[in-house]
Amino acid sequence: MMKIQTFFILPAAGILLFLCGCEHAAIPAEMLTKTPWYQKQLKLIRDNNADQIPVSLAKQGIAVGRIIRKLPDNTFQVSGNVPFGNSSIRFSDADSAAKISEGDWIVARVMRDPKGRPPLIQDYRKVSVNTDSIPEEFHPDLEKLICLGIKYGWELKIEVSNNQDSVTISNDAPEDGKRYTANMFQLYIGKQVRADRIKDGVYPNFVVVSAEKEAKTYILTYSGGFPQIGMALKIRFPVYESLRLPYLQMFESLGTIAGHPSTRARRDELQRAFEKAGIPGTWEISDLGRMIFSYHTGLFEVYSAFEKRVRTVSGPLADGYIFTLSAPTEGPMSIPMTSKYRHVPYYKWNLLYPDFNYLSYGSGNERITYRWSFEYGSGKEPVCEEIAGKILEVMRSIPPWTLPGNKSKSP
């Protein structure tokens, strides 16, 4: 039976998390502990346990596990960890209990029962997933997605192939396998490539990326921005979060970040540095703290299958390019760096994509990281790699910049 991470609450030392052993990849604690909901639960636990010192007397704690059996009196047996020496948790009413089924994964704040009965649920999050039918080899990937599901409130749907050689996990299913609305994804994990797979690329309203790892094929199709899926599974998926999706992009955004003096100063600093390096192009301020460097661009007509209409979008001409730099992320990150590039179809032009498109400065808590992308006209692969290399070389020579409001690092 699958084991997962175990959580204990120690009020005397704040909140400490201990992890139990596991037969395969354990649910990563950081995915739960950093969510606003989870932090709220910990604060409530600290408040309720404030007058208690010994762990054995704590009033509240966190239960994490999979529901394996429904018992009488709105009670459920849990495979995982339940505080106060119990293996079950219970709801205060039948209506709430009716929403829980065997196979559901649950994270709950529970209250100790003075009469020794299973602790009472105060608040919880669940993902409706029955893992009993999932082959053991897919459990590590599934467990990490379950964590994300708890974090973002997804109701995961899982389909196992008839021969048990593949599993498809999604939070919603497109009608024809190609139409994706905002905030939808589908992850295929199997021993061979699907016959109906769509070629890797960025299409109107959705993205397809694939990878090969540990004798398994991964194909991720998503829209609305789900880079956390690829990162959570630690698969070498391109991280498209920094991309300039043309039909959503706002050049010279009028937002607070775009209008801030430090943002304008950063754009001017970048422009001067690139002119000095002899790299032609113009820097512009985009939305959400992103900046875009472009040269020789034009307008393209792109058909949006979901909207069933043609859009006019900007993109690089045959000898043009667009370099997009994301908003900065502060703090330590573990990022494997490589210089291996590949060329990916992107609308009616191309995308130069490395294994990991990160640009980092500093280390530890002082680290600042950007994501980047490079679009270019068709038939210019060797030239575009050379230009992208020059751009990154200039970027590394310029001091990092953080979003307005960070007085310690902003220029």
Side-chain angles (χ1 to χ4, degrees), residues 87-264:
S87 61
S88 302
I89 54 179
R90 63 187 175 93
F91 286 89
S92 59
D93 60 278
D95 290 341
S96 297
K99 299 177 182 179
I100 300 296
S101 304
E102 292 182 8
D104 285 351
W105 288 67
I106 189 169
V107 180
R109 175 169 57 89
V110 297
M111 173 74 77
R112 174 193 289 275
D113 188 283
K115 297 182 179 179
R117 294 177 298 179
L120 189 65
I121 295 174
Q122 306 297 301
D123 197 356
Y124 73 96
R125 289 289 185 273
K126 67 129 181 172
V127 179
S128 295
V129 172
N130 188 334
T131 61
D132 291 337
S133 62
I134 307 300
E136 183 76 12
E137 62 186 300
F138 299 122
H139 282 174
D141 299 317
L142 177 60
E143 287 183 357
K144 295 170 186 178
L145 273 179
I146 286 174
C147 256
L148 288 172
I150 292 172
K151 176 177 180 179
Y152 293 101
W154 298 333
E155 292 293 326
L156 295 183
K157 300 177 181 179
I158 298 179
E159 295 181 6
V160 181
S161 62
N162 293 333
N163 58 8
Q164 298 279 296
D165 279 347
S166 67
V167 57
T168 300
I169 308 166
S170 66
N171 69 326
D172 204 347
E175 295 177 6
D176 58 8
K178 297 180 182 179
R179 293 176 55 185
Y180 281 75
T181 58
N183 299 324
M184 293 169 59
F185 74 85
Q186 186 178 88
L187 175 65
Y188 167 88
I189 309 174
K191 296 179 179 179
Q192 54 187 322
V193 178
R194 271 193 328 203
D196 63 342
R197 72 159 298 185
I198 302 174
K199 185 178 181 182
D200 283 20
V202 182
Y203 301 85
N205 298 304
F206 69 97
V207 174
V208 179
V209 290
S210 62
E212 297 287 337
K213 185 177 181 182
E214 297 175 354
K216 284 187 288 188
T217 296
Y218 297 81
I219 303 174
L220 174 63
T221 305
Y222 67 95
S223 63
F226 281 100
Q228 68 269 22
I229 297 175
M231 290 188 290
L233 294 174
K234 295 181 179 178
I235 302 166
R236 293 162 77 86
F237 281 151
V239 182
Y240 282 100
E241 184 178 339
S242 63
L243 286 185
R244 181 193 63 90
L245 295 176
Y247 57 97
L248 297 176
Q249 187 62 46
M250 295 184 294
F251 283 95
E252 293 298 330
S253 170
L254 299 177
T256 302
I257 295 175
H260 196 278
S262 73
T263 309
R264 303 285 176 174

Side-chain angles (χ1 to χ4, degrees), residues 5 7 27-39 64 107 146-148 150-151:
Q5 286 185 347
F7 293 78
I27 289 181
E30 65 273 11
M31 287 188 180
L32 290 175
T33 58
K34 291 182 179 180
T35 66
W37 175 83
Y38 197 91
Q39 290 299 317
V64 183
V107 180
I146 286 174
C147 256
L148 288 172
I150 292 172
K151 176 177 180 179

